[in-house]
Amino acid sequence: MGTTPGEIQIGGQRYRVQAAPRTQEFADAVAAVRAPNTKDRHRMAASMVVLEGILSAEEFIALLDRLDDTEDPLDTQTLLTAAIELAQRAHT
């Protein structure tokens, strides 16, 4: 089952997507996530800014809680993949 334009599926769970903020910090984070030459640690930090900007605060916190959840673990690569998808959506 797919997601709607107002949702994203991350690690098997759906999250509501809100409008991207129109700030320089968010624009810089989107650029860093999308750029192929961004160092991994910078891309991961930028992905957190992208996810925080597009998910509601409650959903962002729930997403981060899943990193330590032993029953429903979420890895950093999954977070990065979601941030890249959201950065692509924000850029279009």
Side-chain angles (χ1 to χ4, degrees):
M1 188 182 314
T3 58
T4 67
E7 295 178 324
I8 186 170
Q9 189 163 340
I10 304 172
Q13 291 188 15
R14 289 181 184 198
Y15 295 87
R16 285 184 322 273
V17 175
Q18 56 191 16
R22 295 183 180 268
T23 65
Q24 189 59 51
E25 176 187 41
F26 185 80
D28 291 346
V30 167
V33 167
R34 295 181 76 230
N37 61 339
T38 302
K39 293 181 181 177
D40 287 343
R41 66 180 182 269
H42 293 148
R43 179 172 281 119
M44 197 63 213
S47 72
M48 292 296 113
V49 174
V50 170
L51 290 166
E52 181 185 29
I54 293 184
L55 299 177
S56 70
E58 181 179 291
E59 288 189 327
F60 179 67
I61 291 168
L63 184 69
L64 293 180
D65 285 345
R66 289 182 62 201
L67 289 171
D68 293 327
D69 190 339
T70 56
E71 293 184 28
D72 185 21
L74 190 65
D75 60 78
T76 54
Q77 185 59 45
T78 301
L79 286 179
L80 183 57
T81 301
I84 291 168
E85 180 182 334
L86 291 171
Q88 294 290 8
R89 288 187 197 183
H91 190 263
T92 58

